Amino acid sequence: MANALYGGGVAAPCGDLGAAAALAESLPMGGGYRARSSFPAGRVALAERPLPRSLQVAAAAGQMNGNLTIGKAMRWWEKGTQPNMREVESAQDLADSLLNAGDKLVVVDFFSPGCGGCRALHPKIAQFAERNPDVLFLQVNYEKHKSMCYSLHVHVLPFFRFYRGAQGRVSSFSCTNATIKKFKDALAKHSPDRCSLGPARGLEKAELLALAENRDLEFTYSEKPTLVPIAEAIRMEAASIGGPWLPLPPAATQPFPLGSENGSLIPSGR
């Protein structure tokens, strides 16, 4: 009985070892199949089957790139992000971002990929960012920056800190979906336009020193000289020994006469 052909392959009848050997030599070639058979009539050539369109596109892309790659799945904290949302890369990046924000309100969002409350709250935070394009939202991944979070005394998640201009930190709290009103109230209180007198303050001095002392971080901090009001500076210079002030002449140190001994005024001029 002749061998049966099915689906582009060769099916050998029972006991026909020659056909089985021919089937073992069948190799996929060019998106279809060619097979050699032991039929008495000689070689049988099977027509090539074209690949589906999707596989053809994937194969072409793989040939162009040298390999076939699959796109990385988007992580939950990357979904729905807005242009005014970004993830912090380091402690130096966080400190510099706060100083460079000027009068803009900055919301620092501390989260962890394994935190269920953080994941549930993220879509709402993304909505707040979309409605407030002038507010900068910085995301700090606790799993990537544990040492930095420890220096900043962040021990509960999700956790938020608000910074605004020369005021520095204006609010700090933890909230969940059940207590999202705290986030709404803080955003409404600190987001209105205002003008700060002085440069942005950023992190607290104690926090900067803690980050600088943390050996796990590449962070440098040099304390800036404190600005002294002009009136206080003049007073300090005048009171210092060997200051720039010249001594007054002796005549200027004597009291100005207001009258004679009997109390009458001394006439001036004629």
Side-chain angles (χ1 to χ4, degrees):
M1 183 176 61
N3 292 339
L5 304 180
Y6 177 76
V10 179
C14 297
D16 191 347
L17 299 179
L23 178 61
E25 295 177 355
S26 301
L27 298 174
M29 299 179 61
Y33 293 89
R34 295 182 185 272
R36 290 190 302 172
S37 172
S38 60
F39 279 119
R43 185 184 299 273
V44 176
L46 302 180
E48 293 186 359
R49 285 187 171 185
L51 290 172
R53 178 64 179 171
S54 59
L55 293 181
Q56 292 179 11
V57 173
Q63 292 176 0
M64 292 177 61
N65 298 330
N67 56 355
L68 185 61
T69 58
I70 301 176
K72 183 179 66 175
M74 183 175 292
R75 296 167 292 189
W76 65 259
W77 60 91
E78 298 173 340
K79 296 180 180 179
T81 55
Q82 303 301 317
N84 56 332
M85 299 177 67
R86 71 174 185 86
E87 189 172 343
V88 170
E89 299 296 334
S90 63
Q92 195 71 53
D93 181 23
L94 175 61
D96 293 343
S97 299
L98 292 175
L99 291 178
N100 297 331
D103 290 335
K104 182 181 295 186
L105 177 64
V106 182
V107 177
V108 183
D109 175 10
F110 296 88
F111 74 96
S112 174
C115 172
C118 303
R119 182 170 186 170
L121 193 60
H122 175 73
K124 292 186 177 180
I125 302 301
Q127 292 178 0
F128 286 129
E130 183 179 9
R131 297 170 187 170
N132 299 270
D134 295 332
V135 179
L136 177 61
F137 288 77
L138 299 178
Q139 299 172 290
V140 179
N141 189 332
Y142 180 84
E143 296 301 326
K144 291 174 60 177
H145 306 289
K146 286 184 179 180
S147 187
M148 178 179 70
C149 292
Y150 179 81
S151 297
L152 297 178
H153 303 288
V154 176
H155 305 294
V156 62
L157 297 174
F159 194 76
F160 300 92
R161 281 181 177 167
F162 286 54
Y163 295 84
R164 185 68 186 267
Q167 293 180 276
R169 189 202 306 176
V170 294
S171 187
S172 179
F173 57 88
S174 177
C175 75
T176 61
N177 270 330
T179 57
I180 191 63
K181 187 177 183 300
K182 291 195 295 185
F183 191 96
K184 293 180 180 179
D185 293 343
L187 194 62
K189 179 179 179 180
H190 301 293
S191 60
D193 294 337
R194 68 183 72 173
C195 182
S196 299
L197 298 178
R201 183 177 179 181
L203 295 175
E204 301 289 337
K205 180 180 178 180
E207 295 173 334
L208 294 172
L209 292 175
L211 292 175
E213 294 173 357
N214 192 330
R215 297 183 178 179
D216 296 333
L217 305 176
E218 295 182 0
F219 183 83
T220 57
Y221 168 66
S222 56
E223 187 175 356
K224 297 180 180 180
T226 305
L227 297 178
V228 179
I230 184 63
E232 181 67 14
I234 293 176
R235 188 192 67 79
M236 293 172 61
E237 287 290 336
S240 63
I241 299 176
W245 307 102
L246 297 176
L248 296 175
T253 60
Q254 298 178 359
F256 185 79
L258 296 178
S260 60
E261 295 180 357
N262 57 6
S264 61
L265 293 176
I266 301 175
S268 61
R270 299 178 180 174

